[in-house]
Amino acid sequence: AGMLLVSLFTSSFLSAAPAQAQIIHAGQACVVKEDNISERVYTIREGDTLVLQCLVTGHPRPQVRWTKTAGSASDKFQETSVLNETLRIEKIQRLQGGRYYCKAENGVGVPAIKSIRVDVQYLDEPVLTVHQTISDVRGSFYQEKTVFLRCTVNSNPPARFIWKRGAETLSHSQDNGVDIYEPLYTQGETKVLKLKNLRPQDYASYTCQVSVRNVCSIPDKSITFQLTNTTAPPALKLSVNETLVVNPGDNITMQCSLTGGDPQPELVWSHSPGPMPPNSLVQGGNLTIWRIRVEDSGYYNCTAINNVGNPAKKTVNLLVRSMKNATFQITPDVIKESETIQLGQDLKLSCHVDAVPQEKVVYSWYKNGKPARFSDRLLITRNDPELPPVTCSLEVIDLRFSDYGTYLCVATFQGAPIPDLSVEVNISSETVPPTISVPKGQSTITVREGSKAELQCEVRGKPKPPIIWSRVDKETPMPSGTMTMETYDGKLRLESVSREMSGTYKCQTARYNGFNIRPREALVQLNVQFPPVVEPAFQDVRQGMGRSVTLRCTMLKGSPMKVATSVWRFNGTLLVQPLAEQQDYSELKVDSVSRETSGSYECSISNDVGVSTCLFQVSAKAYSPEFYYDTPNPTLSQKQSKNYSYVLQWTQREPDAVDPILKYRLEVRQLAQRNTIQTFIPVQKMEKGLLLEHILPNLKVPQSYEVRLTPITSFGAGDMAARIIRYMEPDQPLPFPADNTCRFEDEKICGFMQDKMDNFDWTRQNALTQNPKRTVNTGPPTDISGTPEGYYMFIEASRPRVTGDKARLISPLYNITAKYYCVSFYYHMYGKHIGSLNLLVRVRNKRAIDTQVWSLSGNRGNMWQQAHVPINPPGPFQIIFEGVRGTSYEGDIAIDDVTLKKGDCPRKPIGPNKAVALPGSGVPALHSPCLCGPLTFFLYVLLR
């Protein structure tokens, strides 16, 4: 059956509405409570699923981002990856607790930010340890033994501890021998059971039971310890020395034996730094390492634990013999500050190897292949303070021609199968200190990104030392990841260079394997050329028919930073465009936008290294419409029919950017079906912010439909927008309940929002969630129903509130479907410092206009009373409850059971059940409430 699309087309002004937000929960919450400063706390059990929803209103539709702090306002925000209205965390952990923020923004006004604190509840397994002290009393006649049983647990909320001896529950100072206390400066929560002057009956089974009082249905946990007259802390011994030196390739076994402890201690082997080596095996107290390697060196710890006293621990420092990196240094006469070798001056030759253990290395010196003969002029020294530790030096006093020759230093581990290391140095008249320079034409190296680069420094001298490379202009590491790189031929080879590698590099001579003098240095500049970076990468350009438009492609970065050539193409066809010299951009002017000149414009900019492209899509197409999602009560019923109508509302995005919109193409398709019904909606006038409306009739209950809306101009079809519309029960100021009365029982509070521009917020609570320290003699004990579970909204007048502070609660936006409406609600204004309760109506036109239509001030007694306020708004409207704080803290004001109905307010008195007196109320004489505002016709406040 076809669907008849009969349009009722209306319009009104809807200035873009700023975002508003409200957080609700939909996950496995234990409880959601609000304290007296309106802080919302969401309690959840560790491991459960957290689901928070951010309900938003505003036009255009706000975008939502979730952020989090770890708990306090000083913590840095941690960006989450959630960019939609629902935040879901599976199996939440304790570290994920904290304050979560929902930020909704649509570019209109300031973003809306709401927060909720997530409190993750958990109870770990308790840990029980036993300690004892023995002290002499009255000389040496007897000893007093005191035992401490310490029970520790991590939990949230803080745990309650119960100590038991057998099945008997122990209490503090139950007898002279029992003391229970909470020690200071302990990690986690701790309770200590102290058994003073241990007696025979104290040898028993002790249980520590911890509880979080079944919060989040977390069960109690416990741990038991059997105290006997043989209870003792662990003790152990090792089969090897604390320092163990072995050769690589050996198989070793270290035995850790218990010598005491009751209950039986548990033995654990560990290694630091790092984990246990893969070639190791632990069996009981024995640790075996096969074919040991140098990297297996380190500290091996054997620990015995039985929760009595302190753990016993023995450590073995395992050293695997090794030698590497033999180096030498030539140091000219230091006293005479010489940098060259000269006859008649002193000379020092030094030799060093990196070894384990370092102090066991033996150095031997040879001259011309024979052992060096030591004399008053030829001295051997170790541990020179000016050189690396355990360095051996050969000092020649008053150098003579006969001292010239080849010197050999040999490093040995005596009695160990470690190969010797040696280093040779020649001393002669040709032994000269190094010089360094950059070859001609190599001081600046220019390469393209992604290619190889070679930086070169030439070293002269004998011997030639290694070259150390580093970066000069940046505190960044070398491409290898280290701060320096060593080369032996003076060449620094870089693979696949990137633009970040551009800069100045320093080469300098090393002070080892050569002269131990001030390093010689030189600089090399590396320039990495890379293609241009341009903007915009893509731009959607809209313009009216016949108007001109200028397209600009700008070069932001590049090396060289100069446009060499630019090429423009239209729909792939080359355009002729002259280019001025030295520009960092290229422009193209389209003289007249038309169907023929609409399309894709591509600008390719080159800097002779590479090419980058800007892409422009030019057209006179209209932008897409923006659906209005906050339409109140969009579903309209059709009596005696199973059909419904839907009020579709939207505004047009940037209507003045292109030619006037003539009409809209409307396509409607029932979900799960293919048939689409199309019609056209004519447009009489169009302005930015104009709210357009179209009624879709004859929709089938309860089916959902996809709606596509496309603007049409003289150019043709514009951008399409689509949305899904769903059937909702009509004749309700949704999300009010089915009887049109909002009782605030749901966290969504019927779509009401807290005003961002007031001083503080209304609070939702019931008798069960009231602050036990709340101010007495003000505020209701329960809601209008009288049950402790019933919720209501109230303002808290206690600090930090001051006189005149306002809290405003704003309803959803309601469309006009009748001439008259009646707002009914219950209020509770009890306390000697009561301020004022105001009702305002906000009408949406070109701008929002607030009009006060009802007001009441002062103490009205400890009872709920009902008010009826008639209104006749001329356009879409909202109602606002404004609570004003009085002169002091006994001024809490509450509201409940808000109803919005079409038609006049009731004209006859309401029965006694409409004014609910609360026990002990002293009701003063009542004054007539204020009637004000042009929207108000009548007001009947019916009080008992």
Side-chain angles (χ1 to χ4, degrees):
M3 177 171 52
L4 179 62
L5 288 174
V6 179
S7 169
L8 173 60
F9 187 75
T10 62
S11 65
S12 62
F13 272 99
L14 174 72
S15 55
Q20 295 195 50
Q22 177 188 1
I23 296 176
I24 66 169
H25 75 89
Q28 298 170 282
C30 306
V31 64
V32 178
K33 61 182 179 180
E34 305 184 18
D35 64 17
N36 62 345
I37 58 171
S38 300
E39 180 184 45
R40 306 186 65 225
V41 182
Y42 177 9
T43 303
I44 187 171
R45 178 173 175 169
E46 187 174 50
D48 284 350
T49 299
L50 169 76
V51 181
L52 297 177
Q53 286 183 291
C54 190
L55 303 183
V56 296
T57 61
H59 187 73
R61 188 71 169 173
Q63 297 294 312
V64 174
R65 175 184 291 273
W66 285 94
T67 54
K68 174 185 179 293
T69 61
S72 70
S74 62
D75 291 309
K76 292 183 178 179
F77 275 91
Q78 305 163 356
E79 288 293 331
T80 71
S81 58
V82 178
L83 293 171
N84 55 40
E85 296 180 8
T86 301
L87 172 68
R88 183 181 182 91
I89 301 177
E90 304 279 354
K91 297 180 180 178
I92 192 167
Q93 300 301 304
R94 63 193 66 177
L95 294 179
Q96 293 174 300
R99 184 169 295 281
Y100 285 82
Y101 292 82
C102 156
K103 180 179 181 181
E105 56 184 335
N106 62 354
V108 181
V110 298
I113 300 177
K114 293 294 181 180
S115 70
I116 187 169
R117 183 162 63 84
V118 174
D119 194 19
V120 181
Q121 312 276 278
Y122 57 89
L123 177 64
D124 290 346
E125 294 291 339
V127 175
L128 195 156
T129 56
V130 181
H131 304 267
Q132 67 178 9
T133 60
I134 299 177
S135 58
D136 290 335
V137 179
R138 291 182 297 175
S140 58
F141 289 101
Y142 72 93
Q143 288 184 325
E144 181 180 278
K145 180 185 291 186
T146 299
V147 172
F148 302 86
L149 282 79
R150 179 187 297 257
C151 186
T152 302
V153 71
N154 292 315
S155 71
N156 183 35
R160 179 181 62 181
F161 291 79
I162 299 174
W163 280 101
K164 295 182 179 179
R165 178 195 284 137
E168 174 194 9
T169 299
L170 299 176
S171 60
H172 180 66
S173 300
Q174 179 173 328
D175 57 42
N176 292 332
V178 174
D179 194 7
I180 299 175
Y181 64 94
E182 200 170 296
L184 298 175
Y185 312 115
T186 55
Q187 185 175 2
E189 301 164 57
T190 303
K191 272 287 173 63
V192 173
L193 174 65
K194 180 179 179 182
L195 304 175
K196 299 176 287 186
N197 191 15
L198 207 62
R199 304 160 298 181
Q201 63 264 36
D202 293 329
Y203 294 116
S205 176
Y206 291 88
T207 298
C208 171
Q209 180 178 327
V210 291
S211 170
V212 289
R213 302 163 185 84
N214 205 40
V215 64
C216 290
S217 301
I218 298 176
D220 295 355
K221 296 183 179 180
S222 62
I223 187 170
T224 301
F225 184 85
Q226 183 71 40
L227 182 67
T228 69
N229 58 2
T230 60
T231 298
L236 46 77
K237 66 177 182 179
L238 281 174
S239 62
V240 296
N241 295 329
E242 292 184 354
T243 300
L244 179 62
V245 182
V246 299
N247 296 318
D250 287 354
N251 297 329
I252 64 162
T253 297
M254 294 177 282
Q255 187 176 36
C256 185
S257 304
L258 289 170
T259 58
D262 182 22
Q264 176 77 14
E266 178 187 3
L267 285 176
V268 178
W269 277 98
S270 62
H271 176 245
S272 61
M276 296 287 284
N279 49 327
S280 64
L281 177 66
V282 175
Q283 289 181 314
N286 294 342
L287 169 62
T288 302
I289 306 176
W290 288 281
R291 297 177 297 279
I292 200 164
R293 307 161 300 172
V294 173
E295 55 265 34
D296 297 333
S297 297
Y299 292 93
Y300 288 83
N301 308 299
C302 176
T303 306
I305 302 173
N306 69 347
N307 289 340
V308 178
N310 295 319
K313 182 178 179 179
K314 294 288 185 180
T315 300
V316 178
N317 182 13
L318 180 63
L319 303 175
V320 181
R321 291 187 180 92
S322 65
M323 280 198 304
K324 60 182 180 179
N325 300 336
T327 58
F328 71 89
Q329 289 176 305
I330 303 172
T331 307
D333 198 317
V334 177
I335 297 177
K336 297 182 179 180
E337 297 181 351
S338 176
E339 291 193 340
T340 60
I341 297 175
Q342 299 182 31
L343 296 176
Q345 294 185 357
D346 296 347
L347 178 69
K348 183 192 295 182
L349 305 179
S350 303
C351 176
H352 177 81
V353 294
D354 297 328
V356 177
Q358 189 78 55
E359 66 277 4
K360 298 298 183 180
V361 177
V362 176
Y363 294 96
S364 303
W365 284 93
Y366 297 84
K367 178 185 176 184
N368 296 330
K370 297 180 180 180
R373 295 183 178 181
F374 307 120
S375 63
D376 294 342
R377 287 196 319 104
L378 200 62
L379 307 177
I380 296 289
T381 61
R382 287 173 68 99
N383 298 325
D384 190 321
E386 297 180 359
L387 298 172
V390 195
T391 296
C392 183
S393 297
L394 177 66
E395 295 191 48
V396 181
I397 310 299
D398 187 17
L399 182 68
R400 301 174 183 175
F401 184 81
S402 59
D403 295 324
Y404 286 166
T406 299
Y407 291 83
L408 179 70
C409 172
V410 179
T412 305
F413 266 138
Q414 292 185 343
I418 306 298
D420 295 347
L421 289 182
S422 63
V423 63
E424 188 177 81
V425 56
N426 186 270
I427 301 298
S428 69
S429 59
E430 296 178 356
T431 306
V432 294
T435 61
I436 194 168
S437 63
V438 179
K440 186 176 180 180
Q442 298 291 309
S443 58
T444 300
I445 303 297
T446 301
V447 296
R448 293 193 174 187
E449 191 170 40
S451 62
K452 298 180 180 181
E454 184 175 277
L455 281 56
Q456 184 174 357
C457 287
E458 288 186 346
V459 180
R460 292 182 175 85
K462 188 176 180 182
K464 289 183 179 181
I467 299 299
I468 307 298
W469 289 88
S470 61
R471 302 194 68 164
V472 175
D473 53 345
K474 297 180 182 178
E475 294 183 0
T476 53
M478 298 288 286
S480 63
T482 58
M483 298 306 295
T484 60
M485 290 178 66
E486 179 184 276
T487 65
Y488 287 89
D489 59 358
K491 295 179 180 180
L492 177 63
R493 298 171 178 85
L494 303 175
E495 301 287 338
S496 187
V497 296
S498 64
R499 63 194 68 179
E500 290 78 17
M501 295 183 188
S502 294
T504 304
Y505 290 75
K506 178 173 70 175
C507 58
Q508 67 179 31
T509 56
R511 300 183 65 168
Y512 53 87
N513 290 348
F515 277 75
N516 180 25
I517 58 176
R518 176 181 55 85
R520 275 47 174 166
E521 300 177 356
L523 302 177
V524 180
Q525 178 70 31
L526 175 63
N527 294 330
V528 179
Q529 296 182 330
F530 57 91
V533 177
V534 297
E535 74 167 7
F538 174 79
Q539 185 175 1
D540 185 7
V541 180
R542 307 290 176 104
Q543 187 61 279
M545 299 271 281
R547 302 180 204 169
S548 66
V549 65
T550 300
L551 311 177
R552 173 181 284 195
C553 184
T554 302
M555 183 174 172
L556 299 178
K557 293 186 291 185
S559 178
M561 184 61 184
K562 176 183 176 183
V563 176
T565 61
S566 67
V567 176
W568 284 87
R569 290 181 173 84
F570 171 59
N571 292 339
T573 302
L574 187 65
L575 299 176
V576 178
Q577 175 70 17
L579 175 69
E581 293 292 333
Q582 302 296 331
Q583 287 184 325
D584 60 356
Y585 64 89
S586 180
E587 282 188 348
L588 176 70
K589 184 177 181 181
V590 180
D591 294 324
S592 176
V593 176
S594 64
R595 291 186 181 88
E596 291 72 25
T597 58
S598 295
S600 176
Y601 288 82
E602 183 182 284
C603 175
S604 299
I605 283 184
S606 169
N607 63 350
D608 288 337
V609 175
V611 178
S612 293
T613 300
C614 297
L615 185 61
F616 304 88
Q617 192 68 37
V618 177
S619 77
K621 290 172 59 176
Y623 286 106
S624 63
E626 295 179 315
F627 285 113
Y628 183 60
Y629 287 87
D630 301 328
T631 304
N633 197 20
T635 305
L636 306 175
S637 66
Q638 298 177 10
K639 292 183 178 180
Q640 298 176 348
S641 171
K642 293 185 179 180
N643 294 342
Y644 71 97
S645 300
Y646 195 91
V647 180
L648 189 69
Q649 293 181 309
W650 72 93
T651 60
Q652 178 60 41
R653 178 185 167 203
E654 302 297 338
D656 299 327
V658 295
D659 299 307
I661 293 173
L662 305 176
K663 56 186 176 182
Y664 285 93
R665 182 175 67 221
L666 177 66
E667 299 168 281
V668 181
R669 180 182 63 86
Q670 183 178 325
L671 294 185
Q673 293 190 7
R674 294 184 179 181
N675 295 336
T676 298
I677 295 181
Q678 175 178 295
T679 189
F680 290 92
I681 306 172
V683 175
Q684 303 300 326
K685 66 172 184 175
M686 175 63 67
E687 294 182 44
K688 186 172 183 178
L690 189 67
L691 182 63
L692 304 176
E693 181 177 297
H694 177 81
I695 297 179
L696 302 173
N698 301 324
L699 306 177
K700 295 183 182 299
V701 177
Q703 300 300 323
S704 299
Y705 293 82
E706 180 190 43
V707 175
R708 295 171 177 252
L709 194 61
T710 307
I712 309 293
T713 65
S714 57
F715 176 80
D719 292 340
M720 179 269 296
R723 65 167 293 189
I724 304 296
I725 59 174
R726 304 185 186 279
Y727 174 75
M728 291 185 292
E729 286 293 332
D731 297 325
Q732 298 176 26
L734 294 177
F736 272 33
D739 63 354
N740 291 353
T741 299
C742 180
R743 296 180 174 85
F744 305 110
E745 299 303 321
D746 190 276
E747 215 183 33
K748 300 177 182 179
I749 58 174
C750 313
F752 277 83
M753 293 286 184
Q754 307 280 1
D755 190 351
K756 294 184 294 183
M757 307 304 293
D758 57 9
N759 305 111
F760 66 113
D761 285 347
W762 287 79
T763 300
R764 173 178 171 266
Q765 75 171 20
N766 62 15
L768 302 177
T769 61
Q770 287 178 351
N771 188 336
K773 299 180 181 179
R774 69 188 181 95
T775 306
V776 296
N777 299 323
T778 187
T782 66
D783 76 335
I784 184 65
S785 71
T787 61
E789 296 83 11
Y791 280 89
Y792 56 88
M793 300 297 292
F794 86 110
I795 63 167
E796 170 62 67
S798 301
R799 288 190 301 174
R801 305 276 65 84
V802 296
T803 302
D805 275 1
K806 295 180 179 179
R808 291 159 66 98
L809 192 65
I810 305 175
S811 77
L813 184 66
Y814 302 106
N815 261 355
I816 290 291
T817 58
K819 186 174 182 180
Y820 301 113
Y821 290 87
C822 183
V823 181
S824 302
F825 59 94
Y826 283 88
Y827 60 88
H828 189 284
M829 300 172 67
Y830 169 56
K832 62 183 179 181
H833 304 132
I834 290 291
S836 300
L837 175 63
N838 304 320
L839 179 68
L840 301 94
V841 173
R842 173 175 294 175
V843 176
R844 289 283 187 179
N845 208 303
K846 288 188 176 182
R847 62 185 180 88
I849 300 175
D850 294 353
T851 302
Q852 183 171 302
V853 296
W854 182 89
S855 181
L856 196 63
S857 302
N859 184 6
R860 300 288 157 171
N862 189 12
M863 66 175 63
W864 285 100
Q865 302 173 73
Q866 192 174 30
H868 302 284
V869 184
I871 60 174
N872 64 330
F877 68 97
Q878 295 167 285
I879 59 174
I880 301 173
F881 287 96
E882 180 181 72
V884 183
R885 198 257 195 185
T887 56
S888 191
Y889 58 87
E890 291 186 20
D892 295 355
I893 298 174
I895 60 172
D896 200 3
D897 285 18
V898 178
T899 303
L900 177 65
K901 290 185 177 180
K902 299 176 186 178
D904 292 335
C905 289
R907 295 175 179 270
K908 60 181 180 179
I910 306 298
N913 63 323
K914 295 303 181 182
V916 182
L918 300 171
S921 62
V923 184
L926 300 178
H927 305 285
S928 299
C930 167
L931 289 175
C932 42
L935 301 178
T936 307
F937 287 168
F938 317 96
L939 172 65
Y940 294 90
V941 181
L942 304 173
L943 305 170
R944 177 177 171 182

